[in-house]
Amino acid sequence: QIVLTQSPAIMSASPGEKVTMTCSASSSVSYMHWYQQKSGTSPKRWIYDTSKLASGVPARFSGSGSGTSYSLTISSMEAEDAATYYCQQWSSNPPTFGSGTKLEIK
Amino acid sequence: QVQLQQSGAELMKPGASVKISCKATGYTFSSYWIEWVKQRPGHGLEWIGEILPGSGSTNYNEKFKGKATFTADTSSNTAYMQLSSLTSEDSAVYYCARRHYGYSFAYWGQGTLVTVSA
C-alpha cells in the first residue's frame, strides 16, 4: 500500500504568517486530498483533487503538487485554521491517509 | 443535504461483537458507496472498506478482512458495520463516509466511539 508521510508533525504559526505543510507518497499518485479535523469532530474534506477547495473553505488555502510530493499552503494564518490536517490518496487500493500535521496558533 | 447519522458510543467486552449503524439522508442511498474509516490516537485514519447499498457489493482492506462485515438496508437507508472478536486494538472512533465524484471522502458521519474493556 502507498504510505503517506506528512511533515512537520506539529507546527505553529502566528496570525498573518504563511504556512506550508507537505505530504510525501511512497509511490506516485495522481491526486491528493486534504482533510481538516478539529478536536472531537469528524474530518472535513478541505482540498480535493490536489488543488480544488471544498465548499466553504477560505481562499487563503491552496493545494499543489504532483507525483510523490504534495503540499497545502495557507497564505495568511488565522486562529480558526488551527487544526490537524491529513492527506489522503486513492490512486491505488487501499486508500491511505497520512499521519497528520497538527497546526497550532502562536 | 447529505447527512450521515451514526449510532451512539458502545462499551464492549473483549471477545464480543458490535454493530454500528449509519443512517443516510438527503440522497439516493442505494447509488453511492458508503465508506468506513477507523481512527485511533497515534494511529491516524485507516480505511476499513466500503459497501454499495444497492447491490450489496463490498470491498475490504485486507487488514480488516475477518474483523469487519458490512451490510446495508435500503428500506431504512441505513448501513451497518459489524466488528467481531473485539480486542483492545479495536477501541477507536469509527466513521462512515461517502465519496462525491472521485476518490475523496466528501461527507462524514459524526463518528461512533467503541471502547473495548473488561
Side-chain angles (χ1 to χ4, degrees):
Chain A
Q1 67 179 41
I2 294 178
V3 176
L4 301 180
T5 302
Q6 292 188 243
S7 61
I10 304 174
M11 65 185 303
S12 61
S14 301
E17 185 177 348
K18 182 178 180 179
V19 172
T20 299
M21 60 187 72
T22 65
C23 179
S24 175
S26 60
S27 297
S28 181
V29 301
S30 300
Y31 295 103
M32 193 63 73
H33 316 293
W34 295 86
Y35 300 85
Q36 181 196 69
Q37 187 177 34
K38 296 189 176 183
S39 181
T41 68
S42 308
K44 293 180 181 176
R45 189 177 69 164
W46 212 244
I47 295 173
Y48 64 101
D49 294 354
T50 302
S51 59
K52 299 175 181 176
L53 300 187
S55 177
V57 173
R60 61 181 178 274
F61 283 86
S62 64
S64 64
S66 64
T68 60
S69 182
Y70 292 82
S71 62
L72 179 156
T73 298
I74 307 172
S75 60
S76 178
M77 176 74 181
E78 294 197 10
E80 67 179 15
D81 302 335
T84 301
Y85 294 85
Y86 295 94
C87 57
Q88 175 249 322
Q89 68 79 28
W90 203 337
S91 290
S92 70
N93 281 315
T96 52
F97 294 84
S99 54
T101 290
K102 185 176 183 179
L103 174 61
E104 300 171 336
I105 187 80
K106 279 185 185 174
Chain B
Q1 70 281 25
V2 175
Q3 290 191 325
L4 301 172
Q5 183 66 35
Q6 297 184 230
S7 49
E10 302 274 5
L11 174 60
M12 309 300 298
K13 300 286 188 189
S17 296
V18 66
K19 195 169 188 177
I20 300 167
S21 67
C22 172
K23 182 172 176 60
T25 56
Y27 72 97
T28 304
F29 176 66
S30 59
S31 300
Y32 293 85
W33 293 86
I34 289 285
E35 316 290 331
W36 290 93
V37 177
K38 177 181 182 180
Q39 185 171 35
R40 277 190 298 167
H43 291 80
L45 295 156
E46 294 182 279
W47 181 76
I48 302 170
E50 60 183 356
I51 183 168
L52 183 61
S55 64
S57 297
T58 56
N59 295 304
Y60 291 92
N61 185 334
E62 284 290 330
K63 179 178 179 179
F64 292 95
K65 284 184 177 178
K67 170 61 65 177
T69 303
F70 307 137
T71 56
D73 178 358
T74 55
S75 67
S76 62
N77 289 354
T78 303
Y80 299 91
M81 176 175 67
Q82 179 164 314
L83 300 170
S84 61
S85 303
L86 293 170
T87 72
S88 59
E89 299 290 296
D90 299 316
S91 292
V93 176
Y94 293 87
Y95 294 101
C96 61
R98 208 209 83 181
R99 292 185 265 149
H100 177 67
Y101 303 117
Y103 295 91
S104 62
F105 303 103
Y107 309 100
W108 295 72
Q110 82 275 22
T112 296
L113 174 64
V114 174
T115 304
V116 182
S117 175

